Amino acid sequence: MGWWHETGRVGGKRDYDAAMRWYVKAVEDGDALANWNIGRTYEFGYGVSKDLVTAKTWYQKAADRGVLQALDSLANLGHNPDDAAFEKRGP
């Protein structure tokens, strides 16, 4: 549902707040891909302040759960997911 709100497929306009609520609910329900979606919202500033540190945190959570897109996202941000120097911290 989050993607539908993010892209405007619901109601004809983008609703980033609703998208984030659905992504958070999906994470709470165990959806690994939702971690990546939250990372994207922070990387690109979709309805939130752009925050690359927070984006990397969410991407790392997704990568830890096997989401391959998250590895690409981390690499694009210049982060090696095996780098022990990256401090894992939650938002």
Side-chain angles (χ1 to χ4, degrees):
M1 286 297 298
W3 181 83
W4 289 89
H5 287 282
E6 181 182 329
T7 60
R9 304 270 193 244
V10 175
K13 69 176 204 165
R14 296 172 190 256
D15 185 345
Y16 296 122
D17 291 333
M20 182 62 91
R21 285 192 303 273
W22 281 104
Y23 291 146
V24 169
K25 181 176 177 2
V27 167
E28 291 169 351
D29 290 343
D31 183 342
L33 186 60
N35 291 281
W36 178 73
N37 283 314
I38 292 173
R40 282 186 322 98
T41 65
Y42 282 102
E43 180 179 1
F44 298 106
Y46 295 152
V48 296
S49 296
K50 188 173 181 177
D51 183 339
L52 297 182
V53 172
T54 301
K56 287 180 182 181
T57 299
W58 283 102
Y59 287 151
Q60 185 64 58
K61 289 179 184 190
D64 290 346
R65 300 200 50 216
V67 177
L68 296 180
Q69 296 98 314
L71 296 174
D72 288 337
S73 297
L74 287 167
N76 289 337
L77 291 178
H79 170 67
N80 178 350
D82 295 323
D83 183 357
F86 181 72
E87 179 183 346
K88 295 180 187 176
R89 59 188 179 99

